[in-house]
Structures are given as structure tokens and as C-alpha cells.
Amino acid sequence: MNCPYCQSVDTKVLETRSKQDNTIKRRRKCLSCHEKFNTVERVTFHYPNIIKKDGSVQPYLPSKLRKGLEYACQKRPIKISQIESIITKISKTVEQINKREISSQIIGQLVLKELKELDQAAFVRFASVYRSFDDIQEFVAAIKTDNLEISYDQ
Ligand SMILES: [Zn+2]
């Protein structure tokens, strides 16, 4: 942490305080110019943007993922808690990829990997639409139509 006054890198921490808002505040002293200043540390958690097939970019939203999963798991013996844990796992993976943007196909593949282990019918349902629909909302809209319901049973 450079000194804001002289840009020196030689600073000393005088005091460290954990705050209730999950931040850590430090009082520092510059060893070159002897000025004192404060720094604040906080956890950063950023989801990447999702690049769709048509090139458009949207923020990654766990709520969108939930909708897609709920429809894929409709009428299947799957608990809400199982869906929640898939969302948590995928969100964590997406965050840990640590990129500004990732392809929507990666999300689709992550979902399929989880559903394959969980429920074969939900997996097939999601897989049958994931290749032709790039967006969870399109998927949700399509899955509501009769056409798509019929195609599951074929
Ligand atoms: Zn300084």
C-alpha cells in the first residue's frame, strides 16, 4: 500500500480494527514522510458478465439460474434445497473462474453436469433446450409452451 502523500511503499500498520460491516480498518504510518493515513479492506465478490451466442452481454444472476432449474426440475422428486445447493455451487464456480466475462455455454454445461448427477429426467429436459436456447429466460418461455412439452416425450 503506497503512501498517498509521497507514494513510498514503506508503511507501517499502527492499528488494525475489525468493523461490524465486515471490513478491516487499518491506521498506517509512512516511514518516509511520517504522515498517517487509513486504509479499509473488504471482501470483493464479483460475478462475471455472461456473453450470449448473439454476442450480447448480461450480468450473471443466480435468480435467473433458479428459474431455469425450477422449470427443468418440475414434477421431479427434487427438493428446493437441492436446487439451492446447485445454484450455490455454480455461483461459486462462476465467481472463482475470476473473469470479467464468460460464455453462456459454460453456465449451461455447469448446470448439465449438476443435473446429470441429480436427476436424469431433469438433465434431459435441460439438455434438450440448452443447445437451442442461449438464454435462461428464453428457455423458461419455451418450456411453458405445449410444443416443448411434447418434444420431451419423444
Ligand atoms: Zn509518505
Side-chain angles (χ1 to χ4, degrees):
M1 187 69 70
N2 291 34
C3 166
Y5 302 103
C6 73
Q7 310 305 319
S8 168
V9 289
D10 298 319
T11 64
K12 183 186 165 189
V13 174
L14 301 175
E15 198 187 336
T16 299
R17 242 189 284 176
S18 280
K19 308 274 278 183
Q20 280 186 331
D21 60 355
N22 200 26
T23 60
I24 294 173
K25 205 172 170 187
R26 296 188 207 277
R27 184 85 179 135
R28 294 173 189 259
K29 187 185 179 181
C30 175
L31 298 177
S32 297
C33 71
H34 308 291
E35 288 287 350
K36 290 173 186 166
F37 59 96
N38 298 319
T39 59
V40 178
E41 275 175 40
R42 65 167 53 84
V43 173
T44 58
F45 199 87
H46 292 298
Y47 289 127
N49 283 322
I50 305 301
I51 308 168
K52 302 202 302 174
K53 257 186 228 160
D54 65 6
S56 65
V57 177
Q58 290 191 347
Y60 170 80
L61 295 173
S63 57
K64 258 185 151 184
L65 187 57
R66 174 177 291 109
K67 269 188 191 169
L69 280 167
E70 280 172 357
Y71 280 102
C73 297
Q74 245 176 9
K75 293 173 189 165
R76 299 300 307 159
I78 298 165
K79 293 179 195 143
I80 300 280
S81 64
Q82 288 175 299
I83 292 177
E84 288 295 332
S85 85
I86 289 177
I87 293 163
T88 303
K89 198 172 169 185
I90 291 175
S91 297
K92 214 170 159 182
T93 304
V94 162
E95 207 276 335
Q96 285 171 350
I97 289 171
N98 199 24
K99 283 187 177 173
R100 277 166 175 247
E101 291 173 339
I102 62 171
S103 156
S104 61
Q105 289 186 320
I106 292 175
I107 305 293
Q109 284 161 8
L110 289 169
V111 172
L112 287 176
K113 193 176 161 235
E114 295 301 321
L115 288 180
K116 196 170 189 178
E117 287 168 26
L118 185 69
D119 186 277
Q120 198 59 34
F123 168 77
V124 170
R125 190 181 282 179
F126 195 88
S128 69
V129 289
Y130 139 82
R131 283 184 184 87
S132 46
F133 299 96
D134 202 23
D135 184 273
I136 298 285
Q137 271 177 349
E138 287 173 41
F139 166 61
V140 167
I143 210 165
K144 282 175 175 169
T145 69
D146 291 340
N147 284 346
L148 207 66
E149 286 290 343
I150 293 162
S151 72
Y152 294 151
D153 303 328
Q154 282 169 354

